Every structure is written in C-alpha cells, then in structure tokens.
Amino acid sequence: MKKTEEKPFTATRNACKVCSPLGASIAFKGVAGCVPLIHGSQGCATYIRRYLISHFKEPVDIASTNFTEESAIFGGEKNLFSALRNVTSQYKPELIGIATTCLSETIGDDMNKLVKKYAEEATGINDRPGLCYVNTPSFSGTHMDGFHNAVCALVKRFAESSGITDSINFFPGLLSPQDIRHFKEILQDFGLSAIIAPDYSDTLDYGYTGKYEKIPEGGVTIGELKATGSARASVELGYILNRAGNNPESAAEFLERTFCVPRINSGIPIGINENDALMEVLKDLSGCDIPVKYVRQRERLIDSYIDGHKYLFGKKAVVYGEEDFVIAIVSFLEEIGIETVLCATGGKSGYMKETIESKTGHQKDIPVHDNFDFEDIDNTCSGLKPDLLIGNSKGYYIARKYSIPLVRVGFPIHDRIGGQHLKHVGYEGTQELFDRITNALIEYKQDNSPVGYKYM
C-alpha cells in the first residue's frame, strides 16, 4: 500500500465545509417567489432546514422529493414529478429551484431530461412556476460550490439580451443579509441601478408581521434575472468562487462569454485595501466621486487602526472557513498587524495559497491548507500557540481547548444569536469586525490577569 505524506487517514472528521445543495438552497432563497426543492432523501432536506434555521433564525421551507429504496433503484422521476406538483399546489411559487444530492447523482438521474419532460407534461396548467435545476453532489464540492453553481444556473436559465441597459449586475457571494443590505446602500449612494443576485437580505432575515408567510417577500425577481444579459457590466466578488468544480464558470463569466457583459472581479471588501478597490470600481461605473460619507468612514477606520495597534500587533491568528472569506480576512489582518499562522478551508480548489500571496502581498510563508477538517486544524494548532481563532462557530471546541478567544464570522454561526445581522463588508463592516477582534483580545487579557484592572 502506497504511503501518503498528507494524512495517515482517508476519512474526513468534522468537516470544515457544508454540503453543496445547502449552498444552492441559500442562493435559491435569494430569488423572489422561489421554493428550493432537494432531489434526494428527506434527511438531506431536513438537515438543510435545520442548519439554515439555526443560523438565520427564520423559518426556512426546503421541499424534498423524498427518495425511498425504490427511488434509489429505479430512479427519482416519479418522486420529482410528485414533489413539483405538491410544491406548486401548496406554495404557488414563481420558481422552483431544484438541487440534486449525492444519491440522485449516484444513480444517474438526467435532470435536464426530467425537467424538460415535466415541463411538457405540465403544459396548460395555470400558474405553472418556472423551473431551474443545478447539479450539486456533495462528493464533488462544498456549500460554496453549490451556491455559486446555483447562481450561475439561474443566470443561464433566465438571462436574455435586449440591448444594453443602464443597470449593472452585482454578485456579492455568500455573505450575511446585513452585508447585502449594506451593499444596497453603497450602490444607491453611488447612484447605480444594480441587479443583486442572489438577494436574500429580506427572505432570510425578515421582520415579524404577525402572520406566517410561506414565501417571504423579497429577492431578485425573474425579470431582473432576465435583464442580467443586458447589463452594462457585472461586478463579481471573490477570487476563488467555484473554480474547484469540473466545469467552473461563474455567473459573471457566463454573461461575459455569452452576452459580452464585461466582468469586473474584486475580492470580498473587508479591510481598507479591498474596500478601496471596490470604491474605485463603483466610482468608474457611476462616473461620480466617492461619497463623502465613505471618505469619513475610511478616515475613522484608519484612526481606529492606530488606536488599537498596541493591542493587536504581533498577535497570532488561525483563520478558517470558505476560501474567499479566508482570503479577505487574511488581507485585513495584514493591515492591522496580526500574524496569520494558519489558513484552513474545507474547499479544495488549490488556488487559495497563491491567491493569498498575490492579493495580500504577504511575504511570509503562511501555512495554507485546503481540504482540511476541524480535527486537522486542532492538531495543527497545538504547535502554533495562536492568540485567537477567526471563523464560524464550528471551531468553538478548539478555542475552548486552547483557552483562546473565537471571533465568530461568516457562516454558520449556531451558538450565538445575530449571525444574520453581522456586517463584515465595507468600511463600516470592517470597523465593526476590527472592534470585535480588538475587544476580544482585551477581554481575554483582562479575564486572565491576576490584577483585575478596569483601565486599558
């Protein structure tokens, strides 16, 4: 048996990622009038509902084709058609977003054929919803691959070209509802008409109205998805996106290739450098100067960097999570003087290390590991002596083991309330993240001091 140098085992233990159809479900929830449908077992849909409800703290309906032993042997056509009819009658959706699972992919269901067949059989039915499917087997990707593949599938399904409009496309990636709301504010302040896809800022974070809504209001409309093919430009955030897939193509890349919509690529705007880059993009697209409010926010952020330098410089951080999010956090830590001693992700594009080196300008050899699980992170941490962890709540047991702070960012956050309200992006989001990191380190020092001082 050939000896491997990477791991003395082949199994993943406590994965630092989530399943592909879960990511696709989040994307589908960002479309107006859409109900996600998981083509597979009931357990897959139940798991996704549970996971999303725990993070977003909202009711999240995820339908299922409810595979049984018979479906696994003879195929899922019967279950799929029955589920489509049931969802249509119960929810009256404008769109049903279908995401496949490991089981349906393993048995080889031809989704293109099945969707076309159902559409033909359903001809003449009143209020028949649109259908969009995406292949999302978790054995070949993470929740981020599922998310970006679903966004691309939506654009491929609906985009049309009817002459260049004044709108731009804005693809923010998988961020918090609060982040998306902040992007809306920024785009509006620049006077830009933008199609944000997906937009779950309301559908996954809505207010109490006193009544249950099967499909919450909000989301990018099908009409807007059609108009993406006529936009004058697409702004797409993230450098890795879904490059780990067999046919990696992002939504903006598809629009550029098919409809000649220029693609502008930028990183997730956390930190001054990435925010400056995005502001310049929006300045060029709008033809307007950067609004004074953002100039002032930037000035206050720099002042905070100076104020907090003595608490942060030389501290060591372990950063983990989605590849693009990790890249953005590392870039930000470089600005504030915190040394990243480990970057880890469950993704496996293979591009994270070179992207960190090229985009952050980091001269040191940061240990960057993809296809890592939390046990790998735990084992690696033992020799690094980090001062804090930055990532989602799944790393809490590691922070607890080493008695260091965990600054919770990204997705999922299951052991605190407000994960859907965290703002990471923009100068304002960076300010909030900076304050949380600094205060976490001050609090740790204060709690572990024999003196118990009240002044820093």
Side-chain angles (χ1 to χ4, degrees):
M1 183 176 178
K2 186 177 179 181
K3 187 177 180 181
T4 176
E5 295 296 324
E6 290 189 3
K7 295 182 182 181
F9 56 90
T10 57
T12 295
R13 307 160 300 172
N14 196 4
C16 187
K17 59 182 178 181
V18 196
C19 72
S20 293
L22 183 148
S25 297
I26 295 176
F28 286 139
K29 289 295 291 183
V31 180
C34 182
V35 173
L37 172 62
I38 304 302
H39 187 44
S41 70
Q42 180 63 49
C44 292
T46 301
Y47 155 73
I48 292 171
R49 281 196 298 268
R50 168 75 171 78
Y51 223 83
L52 297 185
I53 290 169
S54 294
H55 177 83
F56 293 104
K57 301 295 188 290
E58 298 286 4
V60 179
D61 286 358
I62 306 290
S64 172
T65 56
N66 199 16
F67 268 42
T68 61
E69 291 86 347
E70 180 183 354
S71 312
I73 296 171
F74 298 107
E77 176 180 321
K78 179 180 177 182
N79 293 59
L80 175 64
F81 288 10
S82 176
L84 290 171
R85 287 191 292 268
N86 289 338
V87 171
T88 299
S89 64
Q90 292 294 321
Y91 288 85
K92 304 293 189 296
E94 296 179 44
L95 176 70
I96 300 177
I98 308 165
T100 61
T101 62
C102 298
L103 182 55
S104 59
E105 291 283 345
T106 299
I107 66 176
D109 271 350
D110 186 338
M111 294 306 298
N112 186 49
K113 178 181 177 181
L114 293 179
V115 169
K116 284 183 177 179
K117 183 177 179 180
Y118 178 82
E120 291 171 358
E121 292 184 3
T123 300
I125 297 177
N126 293 330
D127 299 323
R128 180 165 58 91
L131 302 178
C132 179
Y133 76 90
V134 59
N135 297 102
T136 50
S138 284
F139 53 71
S140 67
T142 71
H143 60 295
M144 291 306 297
D145 297 307
F147 178 90
H148 289 299
N149 287 340
V151 177
C152 189
L154 286 163
V155 169
K156 286 182 177 180
R157 169 68 176 81
F158 292 109
E160 301 173 352
S161 180
S162 56
I164 299 175
T165 66
D166 193 46
S167 292
I168 66 167
N169 302 321
F170 194 84
F171 299 104
L174 203 168
L175 294 168
S176 75
Q178 187 67 25
D179 285 331
I180 296 176
R181 285 192 287 268
H182 190 46
F183 280 135
K184 287 182 177 180
E185 177 187 2
I186 293 172
L187 292 165
Q188 185 177 25
D189 287 339
F190 271 95
L192 288 166
S193 173
I195 299 168
I196 299 178
D199 177 9
Y200 45 85
S201 59
D202 290 325
T203 58
L204 287 176
D205 186 22
Y206 51 93
Y208 178 72
T209 63
K211 63 178 181 178
Y212 173 68
E213 298 179 9
K214 291 182 178 180
I215 304 178
E217 292 184 4
V220 60
T221 67
I222 291 177
E224 288 174 323
L225 288 172
K226 290 180 179 180
T228 57
S230 304
R232 59 188 176 95
S234 295
V235 177
E236 191 166 51
L237 304 184
Y239 299 118
I240 304 294
L241 302 170
N242 55 341
R243 294 173 69 187
N246 294 325
N247 297 297
E249 183 175 45
S250 69
E253 287 170 338
F254 167 78
L255 291 171
E256 185 171 57
R257 175 176 62 82
T258 308
F259 299 105
C260 298
V261 178
R263 174 181 183 256
I264 303 170
N265 183 226
S266 188
I268 296 174
I270 301 175
I272 290 175
N273 290 331
E274 288 292 3
N275 273 291
D276 285 355
L278 179 61
M279 288 290 166
E280 287 299 320
V281 167
L282 300 182
K283 176 182 175 181
D284 291 341
L285 287 172
S286 67
C288 301
D289 291 335
I290 297 172
V292 174
K293 66 185 284 187
Y294 299 110
V295 175
R296 296 291 177 263
Q297 288 175 8
R298 186 182 189 276
E299 291 170 350
R300 287 192 291 270
L301 181 58
I302 292 175
D303 186 63
S304 294
Y305 280 16
I306 298 168
D307 296 339
H309 185 68
K310 64 179 180 179
Y311 305 114
L312 304 178
F313 181 76
K315 297 296 185 183
K316 298 178 181 179
V318 169
V319 183
Y320 60 87
E322 298 89 1
E323 290 170 288
D324 278 315
F325 202 82
V326 168
I327 292 166
I329 294 293
V330 173
S331 176
F332 164 59
L333 295 182
E334 284 291 295
E335 296 177 358
I336 62 177
I338 292 181
E339 179 185 357
T340 306
V341 294
L342 173 64
C343 298
T345 181
K348 49 183 178 181
S349 71
Y351 294 107
M352 193 165 76
K353 182 176 177 61
E354 67 179 63
T355 305
I356 286 174
E357 291 174 350
S358 64
K359 299 300 181 182
T360 68
H362 197 288
Q363 302 301 313
K364 297 180 182 178
D365 187 19
I366 302 177
V368 178
H369 296 281
D370 56 12
N371 200 23
F372 241 39
D373 60 33
F374 280 106
E375 295 304 301
D376 292 322
I377 297 173
D378 183 6
N379 294 335
T380 307
C381 277
S382 62
L384 297 175
K385 298 182 179 179
D387 295 292
L388 77 162
L389 270 64
I390 302 177
N392 59 56
S393 64
K394 295 300 181 181
Y396 170 68
Y397 78 99
I398 302 175
R400 181 183 175 92
K401 176 179 178 179
Y402 295 103
S403 299
I404 57 177
L406 167 63
V407 176
R408 292 165 176 81
V409 294
F411 174 89
I413 296 176
H414 288 163
D415 61 344
R416 294 290 187 275
I417 195 169
Q420 75 276 37
H421 300 143
L422 289 180
K423 188 189 297 179
H424 309 88
V425 302
Y427 298 120
E428 272 194 352
T430 303
Q431 179 73 70
E432 292 179 15
L433 180 57
F434 177 86
D435 292 346
R436 289 202 293 130
I437 290 174
T438 306
N439 286 329
L441 289 169
I442 292 174
E443 183 178 357
Y444 174 81
K445 185 175 181 180
Q446 198 172 27
D447 289 347
N448 290 274
S449 168
V451 178
Y453 48 83
K454 298 175 289 186
Y455 183 84
M456 292 296 294

